[in-house]
Amino acid sequence: MKAEQLTQFEKDLEELSITLSSEQMDQFLRFYEMLVEKNKVMNLTAITEFDEVLKKHFIDSLSLVKVCDLEETISVIDVGTGAGFPGIPLKIAFPDLKVTLLDSLQKRVHFLQEVSEALGLYDVEAVHGRAEDFAKPGQLREKFDLCVSRAVANLSTLSEYCLPYVKVGGKFVSYKSEKVSMDSGQNLTEADQAEHAITVLGGKMTEQKSFFLPSSDISRTFIVIEKCRPTPKQYPRKAGTASKKPL
């Protein structure tokens, strides 16, 4: 039934130099089934066709290998994870990762807990809360080697949400659906505009990698930000401020 799409999925994985066991393939299939079933009663994703989920959610999430070595046992937080992207696919493909999934909607967090249990995923914690709250001292501040986010937000705003979670020496990688670094005119790009905020927050933009997902015309850009020094204690500011008044 899904053999053709699975063959393409395996080809795409091969292009990313990722090899999955039969158990890991089964976990991806089970995740897909749970996603589509739960999507009938709550809004998790607009993408539900099998081949599109494989490409636009699973392969897209895993394309992080283009800028990060995920074979090491590292701690990862996925801020604004939504239906579990990229965190759950990363955990399935790289079981040694220690993954925290942060989302502001309790229903989604419950779903992620159900998925983790059903798939037998260990070292996964789904946390309900706002990014601004859990980045405070005594919570999850500067606890992670890597922070990732596919959330749709301006890079300045996203950096204020995400960089406080990263240890000095760690990285924040923002998934962007377009090239944010290139501009044919004289206007400042999103990346240029975010540079001040990133510096203030203790980071440094070290790489911008744009590419197409395997065998597709779907473009993706990764913005890689290294954490050079601790984030000043006044950041992140109180809820809503980062989006209303970006640094």
Side-chain angles (χ1 to χ4, degrees):
M1 177 177 70
K2 299 173 179 176
E4 191 175 324
Q5 290 98 323
L6 282 175
T7 300
Q8 184 59 55
F9 184 49
E10 288 173 344
K11 286 179 182 175
D12 291 350
L13 289 167
E14 192 176 336
E15 197 168 319
L16 294 175
S17 300
I18 295 173
T19 305
L20 300 180
S21 67
S22 57
E23 181 186 355
Q24 288 169 305
M25 289 294 284
D26 288 344
Q27 287 174 317
F28 272 112
L29 290 172
R30 181 77 178 111
F31 182 26
Y32 168 75
E33 289 164 359
M34 293 184 73
L35 179 70
V36 172
E37 189 60 33
K38 184 63 75 172
N39 205 58
K40 293 174 182 176
V41 294
M42 63 179 285
N43 182 29
L44 287 170
T45 177
I47 300 167
T48 55
E49 291 298 322
F50 185 58
D51 59 337
E52 290 205 349
V53 171
L54 293 180
K55 182 81 74 178
K56 296 179 181 178
H57 281 327
F58 295 171
I59 291 296
D60 182 51
S61 294
L62 296 175
S63 64
L64 184 67
V65 296
K66 288 183 173 285
V67 292
C68 288
D69 179 4
L70 299 171
E71 297 291 351
E72 299 177 6
T73 302
I74 59 172
S75 53
V76 183
I77 184 168
D78 179 3
V79 173
T81 185
F85 303 115
I88 295 283
L90 291 172
K91 178 61 182 176
I92 294 173
F94 301 95
D96 290 338
L97 295 177
K98 297 176 181 178
V99 177
T100 298
L101 307 166
L102 179 65
D103 199 82
S104 60
L105 191 65
Q106 183 71 66
K107 286 181 181 178
R108 285 197 290 256
V109 170
H110 280 154
F111 168 69
L112 297 170
Q113 289 167 336
E114 289 170 8
V115 168
S116 298
E117 190 173 332
L119 272 52
L121 301 176
Y122 60 91
D123 277 342
V124 177
E125 184 180 15
V127 177
H128 170 234
R130 298 181 66 99
E132 300 97 322
D133 296 332
F134 277 89
K136 291 192 171 88
Q139 298 283 340
L140 300 175
R141 190 179 186 87
E142 298 186 340
K143 299 279 190 192
F144 299 91
D145 301 305
L146 175 65
C147 176
V148 292
S149 184
R150 285 207 322 172
V152 179
N154 178 281
L155 188 58
S156 298
T157 302
L158 208 51
S159 295
E160 186 170 345
Y161 292 151
C162 294
L163 270 173
Y165 288 101
V166 182
K167 297 174 183 176
V168 172
K171 293 178 182 177
F172 161 46
V173 180
S174 173
Y175 285 64
K176 289 288 180 180
S177 57
E178 69 285 324
K179 294 181 181 180
V180 299
S181 59
M182 298 177 169
D183 187 13
S184 55
Q186 298 302 309
N187 298 323
L188 284 174
T189 66
E190 183 181 340
D192 293 330
Q193 291 169 339
E195 205 155 331
H196 170 70
I198 290 166
T199 301
V200 167
L201 295 161
K204 181 183 179 183
M205 207 178 308
T206 57
E207 186 177 2
Q208 299 179 49
K209 190 173 187 70
S210 298
F211 56 93
F212 290 102
L213 294 183
S215 60
S216 79
D217 58 358
I218 302 166
S219 65
R220 170 61 79 194
T221 295
F222 283 128
I223 307 293
V224 182
I225 298 166
E226 287 190 10
K227 184 75 169 278
C228 305
R229 60 189 184 283
T231 299
K233 62 182 180 181
Q234 65 265 39
Y235 302 110
R237 291 166 290 172
K238 64 181 182 180
T241 308
S243 54
K244 289 174 186 170
K245 297 178 179 177
L247 287 172

